[in-house]
Amino acid sequence: MTNPPYIRPIPASWWLRQGRYVRYMIREATCLFIGLHALVLLVGVYRLSQGRDAFDAFLAALWSPAGQVMGAVIVLMAVVHSVTWFNLTPKAMPLWIGDRKVPGWIIVGGHYGGWIVVSAVVLFLAGGLS
Amino acid sequence: MARSNKPIVWGLFAAGGTVTAFFVPALMVVLGLAVPFGLLSPNDLSFDRVYGIVAHPLGRLILFGFITVSLWHAAHRTRTTVHDLGISNDGITMFICYGVAGLGTVLAAVFLLLL
C-alpha cells in the first residue's frame, strides 16, 4: 500500500517574499494583457463586420478616457512582455555556429533590433495617410 | 504511447509569445493611443481604410493567426501561473483557459469570414 504523495503546503502569497519572485509574477501576468489585447482585436473585428457606425462607436470607446487608460496599461504590460521574452531568447533557443556558441547578447540584441524595425514599420504604415 | 497535447499548446504559446512581443506594443499604440495623442489622424483609422486592410484575404488570414496565437499564449501562461499560485486543480484550469482560447479562435474565424 502506498500513501498519496506528500504535497508541501505553499501559501498563495509565496511570490511576494522576494523581489525576483515578484518580477517573475509580473512577467507571467503580462499574458493577461496579451489576452486582453486579443479580446480588443476580436471585438474590433466584430464591430467592423457590423458596419461603419458600429466601428466608429468601437473606436470612440477605445479613445475615451477609460479606453485610453486600458490602452496605456496594455501597452505597458506588452512592453514588459517583449523585454522579458527577448531577454530569455538565448536560454530558450541557444544558437550554435559550427561548434561555437553565439553569445547571448547578440541573440538578445538581434531581437531588440527586429522589434525596433517592426514597431517603426507598423507606425509608418499606420500613418500612411497623414 | 500516450498522446499529449503539450507540444501543440506549447508551440502555440511560444509562437504567440514571439509574435506578440514584436507586434503588440506598436499595434496597441496605433489602435488605442496614437489618435487621442495626436500622433495619427482619425482618417488613418477610418472605417474604409481599416476595412480595406482587414477584409483583404491576406489581412483576414494574418489577423486570424495573430489573434489565435495571442489567445493561446495567454491561455497557456495563465494555466501555468494558476498552478504557480498553488491552485492545483489543473483539469478545471486547463478546461477554462483552453476553452476560452478555443472559443475565441472560433469566434475570430467566424467574424473574419463574415466580414
Side-chain angles (χ1 to χ4, degrees):
Chain A
M1 238 175 68
T2 52
N3 292 319
Y6 173 70
I7 299 171
R8 189 165 64 90
I10 302 169
S13 59
W14 63 267
W15 53 278
L16 288 170
R17 279 194 302 232
Q18 272 193 33
R20 60 197 174 110
Y21 297 161
V22 174
R23 284 197 295 280
Y24 167 80
M25 268 304 166
I26 292 171
R27 186 191 90 191
E28 297 300 289
T30 58
C31 78
L32 296 175
F33 297 87
I34 299 297
L36 184 60
H37 135 275
L39 191 68
V40 170
L41 295 186
L42 205 53
V43 172
V45 173
Y46 174 61
R47 301 296 270 166
L48 196 65
S49 75
Q50 290 180 313
R52 193 177 302 272
D53 292 345
F55 184 67
D56 287 347
F58 164 73
L59 287 182
L62 211 54
W63 296 341
S64 70
Q68 287 181 44
V69 171
M70 182 184 76
V73 175
I74 293 177
V75 169
L76 182 74
M77 291 302 269
V79 168
V80 174
H81 166 63
S82 303
V83 169
T84 53
W85 191 267
F86 292 145
N87 287 350
L88 278 175
T89 46
K91 291 200 173 88
M93 44 170 226
L95 203 61
W96 295 78
I97 293 178
D99 54 2
R100 296 179 64 167
K101 195 172 182 180
V102 177
W105 66 268
I106 293 181
I107 302 174
V108 175
H111 280 87
Y112 275 96
W115 183 26
I116 292 169
V117 171
V118 164
S119 301
V121 168
V122 168
L123 289 168
F124 176 76
L125 291 179
L129 293 184
S130 47
Chain B
M1 203 174 109
R3 275 169 187 265
S4 159
N5 62 12
K6 201 171 174 201
I8 298 168
V9 176
W10 200 87
L12 286 169
F13 162 75
T18 304
V19 172
T20 55
F22 278 111
F23 285 94
V24 174
L27 188 65
M28 277 291 118
V29 165
V30 166
L31 203 57
L33 300 176
V35 174
F37 281 76
L39 284 170
L40 293 176
S41 117
N43 286 335
D44 294 327
L45 290 177
S46 70
F47 175 83
D48 292 319
R49 185 159 188 245
V50 174
Y51 189 87
I53 295 166
V54 174
H56 186 278
L58 211 55
R60 294 181 206 230
L61 196 66
I62 290 170
L63 199 55
F64 173 71
F66 185 60
I67 292 174
T68 299
V69 293
S70 299
L71 285 170
W72 286 89
H73 169 81
H76 184 66
R77 202 169 222 184
T78 303
R79 177 189 165 201
T80 56
T81 306
V82 165
H83 176 82
D84 284 346
L85 287 172
I87 300 162
S88 53
N89 56 354
D90 190 47
I92 299 169
T93 309
M94 192 166 82
F95 180 77
I96 294 172
C97 291
Y98 296 167
V100 170
L103 181 67
T105 304
V106 171
L107 287 178
V110 170
F111 295 159
L112 284 163
L113 282 173
L114 293 178
L115 212 56

